[in-house]
Amino acid sequence: MKIYSITVFSTENEEAVNLTGEYELSGFGFFQRGSVQEFMKFFSKTVAERTRPGQRLSVEENNYIFYSYARTEGIAGVIICDNEYPQRVALSLLSKILDEFLGKFARNTWKPQTISYPELKNYLIKYQDPKEADQIIKVQEQLDETKQVMNKTIESLLQRGEKLDDLIDRSQEISFQSKAFYKQARKTNSCCTIS
Amino acid sequence: MSVKDRTSEFHAAVESIRSRSSNGHGSFQARHNLEHRRPLLNGNNTGGKSINGSNGLNKGEFSRMAGAIGKDISMTTAKLQKLTKLAKRKTLFDDRPVEISELTYIIKQDIAKINKQIALLQQYVRDHKKNNKQADEHSSNVVVMLQSKLASTSMGFKDVLEIRTQNMKESKDRREQFMFSSNQRADIPAANSPLYNTQKRNEQQNTDFLALDMSSGQVQQQQLQFIEQQDNYIESRATAIESIESTIAELGNIFQQLAQMVAEQRETVQRIDANTDDIQTHVEGAQKELLKYYASISSNRWLMVKIFAVIIFFFLIFILVT
């Protein structure tokens, strides 16, 4: 599962303005990359224009899914990924990126050329793996691991129980035998003398 | 051709028409005139009045009452139509329950009043049974017609009430569908509330925003679709968190089972401990006995030597004697 691009648009006017964007084009042939990037920009722009403020949208096209989230402050984010990438992770990723964007750049700096958002590239690379992006998935995985460890512990505990049972039997037997031994010894030491 | 003098007929016709129009029309002015005329008539004519006059009085009274009832029924029907229009509205948030219940109450009272009036009219007709058969028939027909009108109005009223209850149920369902997510969160145990408080706040913001969208009343269908998408995202988050919560609960369960099993095994270990203590005691005792035995055996030799010495002494004595 891959993310192909993350783009941020400003939707104040009728036409969305591309503020910043990062593209992952390594899956395409060298000569197609330019046109693929143009296509991505165009599609993202269209989807961003169609998204109403405060609304999350997902559009599916062939094998690619566009997730977009428009904020009421006038910006919208679009993520293009393949159809395996989980929806929830993509949408929460959008929320996170837009929050950070809003925090970093004031409203009057929203012009396409003046914004440099290098973290976006890091995000794009880092979040190719959805497990990194979503806390929920991470916590769930850790919990599953812990559960497996616990299961193993319980199994070994059961084995320990078996061994302890074995020990009990053996110790009981020794106890009986030593008792017999003691009685025997006492008997030979009794009143009758050896003639 | 002979000219027939029909002036008297003409006069009679005019009279009858005039009286009929003033009695049956129910126009306000005419009724007033009639009322004004009646006391005059009453005052002027005592006891033995002509049948015409009394008939006219009765007919006037009857038609007045019937007219009043008819007017009431029409007013009630108009109110019922208004209530129907109100009850048919299917908007979720713009319902006007106070108005609807008020209107229902008013209509109910009106119908009861009209019922009473019709009963009075019927009684009146029965009391003042005239000898004129056609007039009787006419009055009973009028009463029956008024009754049937009232019956149809009350049927309509009942239908409207049914529609209203159905719509209320539907709107409640749809309202639950939107507020469903926030309702579900209310069932979660308090132990996880720190985990869920921020989530709940976020979703409530979302649903409030949705409520605003709905009340603007634009393209509702499209809005429903968008709201469903929001809900999908929120619901998926909710399910993920719920699975985490259940996993944590399972883990807690496993830990508890672990502790219980260890406690059981501790008992077993104690038994083993007791057994080994017994073994040690026995073996020590046996060792002591053996030592004693050994000691007694080694000391016994002396006794045996002595006994042998005595026997040999007796033997020697026997041999010396013989």
Side-chain angles (χ1 to χ4, degrees):
Chain A
M1 36 190 120
K2 302 179 56 163
I3 303 183
Y4 291 109
S5 85
I6 306 179
T7 41
V8 180
F9 292 90
S10 138
T11 54
E12 283 166 20
N13 317 322
E14 272 307 311
E15 185 162 329
V17 175
N18 185 354
L19 291 176
T20 175
E22 292 295 332
Y23 305 91
E24 161 76 33
L25 300 167
S26 52
F28 306 101
F30 187 69
F31 295 106
Q32 299 163 338
R33 279 180 200 175
S35 55
V36 164
Q37 184 164 345
E38 285 308 313
F39 271 131
M40 285 185 182
K41 274 192 195 162
F42 175 64
F43 277 130
S44 310
K45 189 156 98 93
T46 319
V47 173
E49 278 166 9
R50 293 278 174 80
T51 318
R52 292 164 67 237
Q55 182 199 339
R56 298 181 172 86
L57 206 57
S58 78
V59 179
E60 184 166 338
E61 165 103 30
N62 296 343
N63 261 345
Y64 306 105
I65 305 188
F66 298 73
Y67 292 107
S68 84
Y69 176 39
R71 305 276 307 235
T72 48
E73 286 89 345
I75 58 169
V78 179
I79 284 188
I80 307 178
C81 50
D82 62 358
N83 49 12
E84 288 180 347
Y85 206 82
Q87 181 191 26
R88 196 190 67 238
V89 177
L91 290 174
S92 63
L93 185 59
L94 269 176
S95 310
K96 200 163 83 162
I97 289 180
L98 284 179
D99 279 336
E100 207 178 301
F101 190 84
L102 279 173
K104 275 186 76 166
F105 302 110
R107 216 181 160 128
N108 47 11
T109 62
W110 289 355
K111 294 186 187 27
Q113 313 313 22
T114 60
I115 293 194
S116 77
Y117 192 24
E119 287 92 349
L120 202 58
K121 195 149 187 69
N122 295 342
Y123 283 155
L124 186 61
I125 296 177
K126 190 162 80 152
Y127 293 145
Q128 289 294 328
D129 185 11
K131 294 185 189 28
E132 288 288 318
D134 199 9
Q135 285 288 79
I136 296 181
I137 293 187
K138 263 197 237 178
V139 169
Q140 181 74 21
E141 272 194 9
Q142 282 180 344
L143 282 175
D144 286 337
E145 219 180 282
T146 316
K147 214 161 66 148
Q148 277 186 349
V149 167
M150 290 307 302
N151 279 338
K152 283 203 205 122
T153 314
I154 286 204
E155 264 181 54
S156 39
L157 192 69
L158 282 173
Q159 280 181 355
R160 174 175 177 258
E162 277 178 34
K163 289 193 185 138
L164 280 177
D165 282 338
D166 196 22
L167 266 181
I168 260 199
D169 290 335
R170 286 205 198 160
S171 65
Q172 229 172 10
E173 197 160 327
I174 294 187
S175 162
F176 288 152
Q177 283 182 344
S178 70
K179 201 161 172 201
F181 174 44
Y182 171 60
K183 279 196 195 141
Q184 191 85 357
R186 208 171 48 176
K187 208 162 61 159
T188 50
N189 209 19
S190 64
C191 50
C192 14
T193 56
I194 296 190
S195 57
Chain B
M1 107 186 121
S2 61
V3 178
K4 210 164 162 212
D5 186 7
R6 301 177 88 153
T7 330
S8 55
E9 288 179 13
F10 178 66
H11 278 306
V14 165
E15 273 305 317
S16 67
I17 286 178
R18 193 182 295 154
S19 67
R20 215 185 308 143
S21 69
S22 58
N23 285 348
H25 243 236
S27 67
F28 201 58
Q29 195 67 358
R31 224 183 284 135
H32 254 300
N33 290 341
L34 195 58
E35 283 175 2
H36 281 174
R37 248 182 268 146
R38 218 177 291 119
L40 274 177
L41 279 172
N42 272 335
N44 284 344
N45 309 318
T46 57
K49 189 67 186 63
S50 69
I51 301 180
N52 241 350
S54 62
N55 269 355
L57 170 67
N58 289 348
K59 204 158 61 148
E61 175 85 23
F62 172 80
S63 48
R64 183 184 71 87
M65 283 170 63
I69 293 179
K71 190 162 155 227
D72 284 333
I73 289 186
S74 62
M75 266 175 26
T76 313
T77 320
K79 280 189 215 151
L80 186 65
Q81 277 175 355
K82 194 157 155 238
L83 178 67
T84 319
K85 196 164 65 101
L86 267 182
K88 276 213 172 102
R89 292 170 60 129
K90 285 205 170 192
T91 58
L92 264 188
F93 295 99
D94 208 6
D95 218 4
R96 293 207 277 257
V98 179
E99 214 170 315
I100 289 186
S101 53
E102 259 184 44
L103 209 50
T104 319
Y105 182 65
I106 290 176
I107 290 181
K108 213 186 303 189
Q109 295 225 325
D110 279 357
I111 289 184
K113 194 173 68 157
I114 294 174
N115 215 5
K116 258 186 265 168
Q117 279 176 337
I118 290 186
L120 271 178
L121 188 67
Q122 207 170 22
Q123 177 123 28
Y124 182 89
V125 160
R126 237 179 288 134
D127 286 350
H128 293 76
K129 265 260 193 276
K130 311 164 209 125
N131 300 330
N132 192 353
K133 201 165 166 191
Q134 275 186 348
D136 283 341
E137 236 177 347
H138 167 72
S139 358
S140 57
N141 279 349
V142 164
V143 169
V144 164
M145 186 193 69
L146 285 173
Q147 273 176 340
S148 60
K149 261 203 199 155
L150 179 68
S152 60
T153 315
S154 19
M155 291 298 288
F157 184 53
K158 189 168 70 93
D159 286 352
V160 166
L161 283 181
E162 276 180 14
I163 290 177
R164 161 111 178 103
T165 42
Q166 207 171 2
N167 276 359
M168 269 177 66
K169 215 186 328 170
E170 267 174 28
S171 75
K172 192 163 90 84
D173 280 353
R174 277 171 58 180
R175 208 187 299 245
E176 270 183 18
Q177 199 185 357
F178 296 135
M179 312 300 193
F180 180 65
S181 42
S182 60
N183 267 347
Q184 203 182 29
R185 252 151 224 82
D187 298 339
I188 281 164
N192 282 336
S193 58
L195 185 61
Y196 276 84
N197 260 343
T198 49
Q199 189 84 339
K200 214 198 304 199
R201 238 183 290 130
N202 278 343
E203 270 119 43
Q204 273 190 357
Q205 279 175 7
N206 275 340
T207 48
D208 283 345
F209 197 78
L210 295 173
L212 281 175
D213 271 346
M214 280 303 282
S215 62
S216 67
Q218 289 306 314
V219 189
Q220 272 190 4
Q221 194 56 31
Q222 224 178 2
Q223 279 183 341
L224 267 178
Q225 210 176 14
F226 293 153
I227 289 168
E228 273 175 25
Q229 271 195 340
Q230 289 269 55
D231 264 355
N232 277 346
Y233 171 59
I234 295 171
E235 270 181 35
S236 61
R237 278 182 81 98
T239 20
I241 290 191
E242 271 179 22
S243 62
I244 285 187
E245 185 210 353
S246 60
T247 317
I248 292 182
E250 270 177 40
L251 261 178
N253 210 12
I254 290 181
F255 268 113
Q256 241 182 349
Q257 275 184 358
L258 188 74
Q260 191 188 357
M261 287 168 73
V262 169
E264 281 175 5
Q265 287 179 352
R266 176 184 61 168
E267 198 187 296
T268 314
V269 167
Q270 279 178 343
R271 276 174 66 192
I272 294 179
D273 205 16
N275 276 347
T276 34
D277 282 342
D278 284 343
I279 292 171
Q280 193 187 8
T281 320
H282 291 154
V283 168
E284 270 184 9
Q287 192 196 15
K288 265 195 224 148
E289 293 293 321
L290 282 181
L291 275 178
K292 265 195 273 178
Y293 182 55
Y294 175 66
S296 69
I297 281 192
S298 42
S299 58
N300 253 352
R301 275 203 206 113
W302 281 113
L303 279 173
M304 250 190 284
V305 164
K306 281 183 197 147
I307 292 173
F308 259 107
V310 168
I311 291 176
I312 289 175
F313 190 73
F314 270 110
F315 215 74
L316 283 175
I317 288 181
F318 263 116
I319 290 178
L320 284 176
V321 165
T322 51

